[in-house]
Amino acid sequence: MYSERTLCLKSSAIREILKITSKPGMISFAGGLPCAALFPLEEIAASIHNVLSKFRSSALQYSVTEGIPGLREKIAGIIDPDGTRIGQQNILITHGSQQGLDLISKLFIDAGTPVLTENPTYLGALQPFRFFQAKIESIRCDDRGLCIDSLKDKMRHIRPSLMYLMPNFQNPTGSTLSSERRIELVEIVQDQNFFVIEDDPYGDLAFDGAKHPSLLRLGGTHNFIYLSTFSKTIAPGFRVAFVAASEEIIGKLAVIKQGTDLQTNTFGQYVIREYLESGNYFNHVNRIREAYKNRRDRMISAIKKHFPGQVTWNCPSGGMFLWIKLPEWAEAEELLPRCLDRGVAFVPGREFFPDGSGKNTMRLNFSCASPADIDEGIKRIGEALK
Amino acid sequence: MYSERTLCLKSSAIREILKITSKPGMISFAGGLPCAALFPLEEIAASIHNVLSKFRSSALQYSVTEGIPGLREKIAGIIDPDGTRIGQQNILITHGSQQGLDLISKLFIDAGTPVLTENPTYLGALQPFRFFQAKIESIRCDDRGLCIDSLKDKMRHIRPSLMYLMPNFQNPTGSTLSSERRIELVEIVQDQNFFVIEDDPYGDLAFDGAKHPSLLRLGGTHNFIYLSTFSKTIAPGFRVAFVAASEEIIGKLAVIKQGTDLQTNTFGQYVIREYLESGNYFNHVNRIREAYKNRRDRMISAIKKHFPGQVTWNCPSGGMFLWIKLPEWAEAEELLPRCLDRGVAFVPGREFFPDGSGKNTMRLNFSCASPADIDEGIKRIGEALK
């Protein structure tokens, strides 16, 4: 009755945990929500007001599949300020980066197509890859991101069509691919000539304001497909994100998008364009960086105070997530119910590992809970750990 | 390099025509746009204002995949006023009905899965069906919709999994499935136990205000999956539409949607819910009905005056499209360039026929052009016809 690809369809574990975390009194480090109190609400309200008065019904009508013109141009300018590599013809507006992943999966993945990912990697990427029946092959990672040796090893046996990675402040680990490895990776990709999806939702949230060059800018559109979003920097509720790639790929993705949902919501695109044109964007992003940096520091202080000595953690230089390693013998999935009983939630790490390892790891989100809740929540996890 | 399913990927002919129709001075009966001048702009602006002041950042944050709660309830109440068959658990909010078609295709269609459609049928439905490599089997239609005899004939040879039809003011023909045929169809479907997608974007645009009962209400959620949208009745720019089906199917579609685009844009959902709660909806729909009825009448008057005697047309009792038949020997695709030269566009009918027939047919949209443009555009087509 149902299609073959839906036979192994299941809701993600995170989704199930998130259902529990909506209970009153629960402190959640489980989700991946940006902090709603930091949304530039008044500035967005002003942008909405301008859109309605300047563009009236046009902002409520159908528009073209690729995205409204000024917005594509503006985005090209943000990700490639020199304007040497990326123009508006290289941009497709999508309903969240999640849609970028769906469209790219449709374009590249047949049953059995080998797709390389980091180990661990973003669960929301594994969903469409698995749905289209890709064969996931995962590459070892450390605190400087993807291990190039592990990639070279893997490539002795596998000729990949597609690779997926998140080079900046990765979800789930918060780690960042080092500059040296970026250069090595670009060389391998160009030499072997396959496609890389560079997923970069958190790139603008570098706590020191510094940015590594994107793989897209280093390696060009012949091999690299870049995804980003305004969900983490402006607000997620408009679902405005984008793919940057070669004109050929953008053209194909646009035809696929046409049959998928016709176009990204017009009104949200007008609002985001207006907001970008208001000139408030970069100041606002600086405010978020500052606030998230403080929350990361707060969480690490609390961890130092409350977690037992055998537990280790990293100090991500941006983004929204912190990565915890329990002792080898421990299981984060066994810890979770004891934490939920104490009114605090996190995501056990194992689901993020395509190879099924990582049972002693956990992901903590630090962007969403208030500083006071961060202290209290970490204290409760500390109690459960003892 | 690309997936197998993309090998036959092509942009729709309509999309190509629409690119030409944006030229200044062009009168277009080609698109399927609702009339922007009729959008309830002031009322929507008021709803937006209320959403921002009542819900603030919540309206800009992520939300659940199924859709925001009050909206699902409200929709259940609109499509099943007795509340006997459909509750909020039966509703999934989607990014346009086009997304409903993508999600349903993902759930039901493997390569070679037989899918029954009307002949002609909506091109936007053929796109995802073909993309997922369904075997399209088309059923003859007349001015009362799908021919039950033709369906029975087809079912002697084929055991379908899925059928797609648009029972009210169909795109492209404007025809409506008669009450008798609805009852016969429900009996066949229940007897043979397959799924039917009832696509109903125009159901509320009945010019006499009368509504045939939906197949969903006649036949229930065991076999029927109902799609509709606020794109034609409020405004398309929010991309808020919905699927109504059994809880089991809604559950599966929600998991699929999670991997497709996570959720429908939160802000648009809040605005549509607020608008529905304002109590203006039904009055507004009445205004559109009245206006579109006048445009239909205006177009038919102009056709009577300007088209040669061998051309026939229908008089749709709702919706946005009128259907023209040229003499058997004529080809609408040959007529089109002569019309474009004269500054008027339409869509040749052949693309809508899965069996490749219909070369002498054309679709005229009457909702979007002004009454004066309707007169002038029909006059120009009349000249090209002579």
Side-chain angles (χ1 to χ4, degrees):
Chain A
M1 177 170 98
Y2 298 125
S3 67
E4 223 177 271
R5 74 180 78 82
T6 60
L7 293 181
C8 53
L9 191 68
K10 57 168 190 153
S11 188
S12 87
I14 294 185
R15 192 174 140 96
E16 297 310 311
I17 295 169
L18 291 181
K19 281 184 188 164
I20 300 167
T21 60
S22 58
K23 279 189 192 164
M26 184 72 75
I27 297 172
S28 178
F29 306 134
L33 302 188
C35 175
L38 293 171
F39 293 162
L41 184 65
E42 301 311 320
E43 292 172 5
I44 290 175
S47 295
I48 288 174
H49 179 83
N50 288 344
V51 164
L52 286 170
S53 63
K54 283 198 274 186
F55 302 104
R56 302 179 60 79
S57 294
S58 310
L60 308 177
Q61 183 58 291
Y62 285 110
S63 183
V64 290
T65 304
E66 289 82 353
I68 62 171
L71 178 59
R72 298 170 75 201
E73 239 169 8
K74 203 87 194 164
I75 288 168
I78 290 173
I79 62 170
D80 184 29
D82 320 335
T84 49
R85 282 189 182 270
I86 303 297
Q88 70 157 347
Q89 70 283 358
N90 299 109
I91 305 291
L92 173 71
I93 309 293
T94 56
H95 271 129
S97 286
Q98 191 66 44
Q99 182 174 58
L101 295 170
D102 175 66
L103 300 177
I104 292 167
S105 297
K106 283 173 168 167
L107 180 58
F108 287 99
I109 300 176
D110 286 312
T113 297
V115 175
L116 302 179
T117 70
E118 293 165 289
N119 190 43
T121 189
Y122 174 54
L123 205 55
L126 290 176
Q127 277 181 298
F129 297 161
R130 286 178 174 153
F131 189 76
F132 288 102
Q133 302 175 290
K135 188 165 178 334
I136 308 288
E137 299 282 350
S138 61
I139 315 287
R140 189 161 44 80
C141 294
D142 61 22
D143 56 355
R144 288 178 298 147
L146 190 86
C147 295
I148 301 295
D149 288 349
S150 172
L151 172 65
K152 284 180 178 166
D153 266 1
K154 190 66 91 178
M155 292 198 57
R156 277 189 204 106
H157 315 290
I158 292 158
R159 174 103 190 80
S161 311
L162 200 58
M163 176 175 185
Y164 170 82
L165 84 169
M166 208 183 263
N168 296 315
F169 326 123
Q170 195 226 26
N171 181 351
T173 65
S175 68
T176 292
L177 188 64
S178 69
S179 293
E180 301 72 36
R181 289 191 186 175
R182 283 173 200 242
I183 291 163
E184 285 183 272
L185 176 60
V186 165
E187 274 172 14
I188 294 172
V189 170
Q190 289 178 335
D191 182 57
Q192 299 290 318
N193 200 22
F194 56 94
F195 283 99
V196 173
I197 308 170
E198 178 183 22
D199 191 4
D200 191 25
Y202 313 112
D204 281 332
L205 302 180
F207 297 150
D208 58 1
K211 268 187 92 160
H212 286 283
S214 67
L215 299 171
L216 179 76
R217 291 186 76 196
L218 288 174
T221 59
H222 187 71
N223 297 101
F224 292 90
I225 304 171
Y226 178 90
L227 304 183
S228 191
T229 176
F230 297 104
S231 291
K232 301 342 190 238
T233 49
I234 301 178
F238 300 109
R239 307 298 292 124
V240 174
F242 59 91
V243 183
S246 69
E247 265 191 85
E248 177 181 321
I249 286 181
I250 293 297
K252 287 186 185 289
L253 293 176
V255 176
I256 295 173
K257 182 169 165 74
Q258 194 194 7
T260 298
D261 69 353
L262 276 182
Q263 57 155 115
T264 299
N265 74 96
T266 317
F267 192 73
Q269 292 187 71
Y270 271 77
V271 173
I272 296 293
R273 184 181 68 186
E274 190 71 21
Y275 187 77
L276 293 175
E277 285 173 354
S278 73
N280 293 319
Y281 180 68
F282 292 104
N283 281 338
H284 172 67
V285 169
N286 281 336
R287 280 196 296 272
I288 306 178
R289 277 182 190 144
E290 188 68 21
Y292 287 1
K293 179 172 183 289
N294 290 338
R295 289 177 187 206
R296 176 203 64 182
D297 292 343
R298 187 93 174 219
M299 188 172 269
I300 289 179
S301 301
I303 287 173
K304 284 181 183 165
K305 192 165 157 195
H306 297 294
F307 281 15
Q310 314 97 303
V311 178
T312 61
W313 61 90
N314 64 352
C315 179
S317 52
M320 305 185 354
F321 300 106
L322 208 138
W323 188 241
I324 303 287
K325 281 186 188 160
L326 305 176
E328 282 293 338
W329 49 265
E331 301 214 1
E333 279 165 23
E334 285 182 5
L335 178 66
L336 181 62
R338 296 207 303 275
C339 287
L340 292 175
D341 285 347
R342 287 174 166 80
V344 61
F346 63 85
V347 177
R350 198 168 55 93
E351 290 254 350
F352 298 105
F353 289 80
D355 75 351
S357 64
K359 68 177 178 49
N360 63 323
T361 61
M362 51 199 267
R363 187 191 76 176
L364 298 181
N365 167 271
F366 55 77
S367 62
C368 199
S370 71
D373 277 355
I374 288 177
D375 291 345
E376 175 61 25
I378 293 295
K379 187 171 149 235
R380 292 182 191 171
I381 297 177
E383 286 162 12
L385 273 167
K386 278 162 194 168
Chain B
M1 177 170 96
Y2 298 126
S3 67
E4 222 177 271
R5 74 180 78 81
T6 60
L7 293 180
C8 54
L9 193 68
K10 55 167 192 153
S11 188
S12 87
I14 293 185
R15 192 172 139 96
E16 296 310 311
I17 295 168
L18 292 180
K19 282 184 187 165
I20 301 168
T21 61
S22 57
K23 281 189 191 166
M26 184 72 74
I27 296 172
S28 177
F29 306 133
L33 301 187
C35 176
L38 293 171
F39 292 162
L41 184 64
E42 301 310 319
E43 293 171 3
I44 289 175
S47 295
I48 288 174
H49 179 82
N50 289 343
V51 164
L52 285 170
S53 61
K54 282 198 274 184
F55 303 105
R56 303 181 59 80
S57 293
S58 311
L60 309 177
Q61 182 58 290
Y62 283 111
S63 182
V64 290
T65 304
E66 289 82 353
I68 62 170
L71 179 59
R72 298 169 74 202
E73 240 170 6
K74 202 86 195 166
I75 288 169
I78 291 174
I79 63 171
D80 184 29
D82 319 335
T84 50
R85 282 188 181 273
I86 304 296
Q88 70 158 349
Q89 71 284 0
N90 300 109
I91 305 291
L92 174 73
I93 308 294
T94 57
H95 271 129
S97 286
Q98 190 67 43
Q99 182 176 57
L101 295 171
D102 175 65
L103 299 177
I104 293 167
S105 297
K106 283 172 167 166
L107 179 57
F108 286 100
I109 300 176
D110 286 312
T113 298
V115 176
L116 301 179
T117 70
E118 294 166 288
N119 191 42
T121 189
Y122 174 53
L123 205 54
L126 291 176
Q127 277 180 297
F129 298 161
R130 285 178 175 152
F131 189 76
F132 288 101
Q133 301 174 293
K135 189 167 180 334
I136 308 287
E137 297 283 349
S138 61
I139 315 286
R140 189 161 44 80
C141 294
D142 61 21
D143 54 356
R144 288 177 299 146
L146 190 86
C147 295
I148 301 296
D149 287 350
S150 172
L151 173 63
K152 285 179 177 166
D153 264 3
K154 189 67 85 175
M155 293 199 56
R156 277 189 206 106
H157 315 290
I158 293 159
R159 176 101 189 78
S161 310
L162 201 58
M163 176 175 184
Y164 170 83
L165 83 170
M166 208 183 262
N168 297 314
F169 328 123
Q170 195 226 27
N171 181 353
T173 65
S175 68
T176 292
L177 189 64
S178 69
S179 295
E180 301 73 35
R181 288 189 185 176
R182 284 174 199 242
I183 292 163
E184 284 182 275
L185 176 61
V186 166
E187 274 172 14
I188 294 171
V189 170
Q190 290 179 334
D191 183 57
Q192 300 288 317
N193 198 23
F194 58 93
F195 283 99
V196 174
I197 307 170
E198 178 182 23
D199 191 4
D200 191 26
Y202 313 112
D204 282 331
L205 301 179
F207 297 150
D208 57 3
K211 266 187 93 160
H212 286 283
S214 67
L215 299 171
L216 178 75
R217 291 187 75 197
L218 288 174
T221 58
H222 187 72
N223 297 100
F224 293 90
I225 303 171
Y226 179 90
L227 303 182
S228 190
T229 176
F230 297 104
S231 292
K232 305 330 192 247
T233 50
I234 301 178
F238 299 108
R239 306 299 291 127
V240 174
F242 60 90
V243 182
S246 69
E247 264 191 86
E248 176 181 323
I249 287 179
I250 292 297
K252 287 185 182 291
L253 293 177
V255 176
I256 295 172
K257 181 171 166 72
Q258 196 194 4
T260 299
D261 69 354
L262 274 185
Q263 59 155 113
T264 299
N265 73 96
T266 316
F267 192 74
Q269 292 188 70
Y270 270 77
V271 173
I272 295 293
R273 184 181 68 185
E274 190 70 21
Y275 186 79
L276 292 175
E277 284 174 355
S278 75
N280 293 319
Y281 180 67
F282 292 104
N283 282 338
H284 172 66
V285 168
N286 281 335
R287 281 197 295 274
I288 305 177
R289 277 182 189 143
E290 188 68 22
Y292 286 2
K293 180 172 184 288
N294 289 339
R295 288 176 188 207
R296 176 202 65 184
D297 292 343
R298 187 92 172 220
M299 188 172 269
I300 290 179
S301 300
I303 286 172
K304 282 181 181 165
K305 193 166 157 194
H306 297 294
F307 280 14
Q310 315 95 302
V311 178
T312 61
W313 61 89
N314 65 351
C315 180
S317 51
M320 307 185 352
F321 300 106
L322 208 138
W323 188 242
I324 303 286
K325 283 187 187 157
L326 305 176
E328 283 293 340
W329 50 264
E331 301 213 2
E333 280 166 21
E334 285 184 4
L335 178 66
L336 181 61
R338 296 207 302 277
C339 286
L340 292 174
D341 285 347
R342 287 175 166 81
V344 61
F346 62 87
V347 177
R350 199 168 57 92
E351 289 254 349
F352 298 104
F353 289 81
D355 74 350
S357 65
K359 67 176 179 51
N360 63 322
T361 61
M362 50 199 267
R363 186 191 77 175
L364 298 181
N365 167 270
F366 55 78
S367 62
C368 200
S370 71
D373 277 356
I374 288 177
D375 291 346
E376 177 61 26
I378 293 295
K379 187 172 148 232
R380 291 181 191 172
I381 298 177
E383 286 163 10
L385 274 167
K386 275 159 197 168

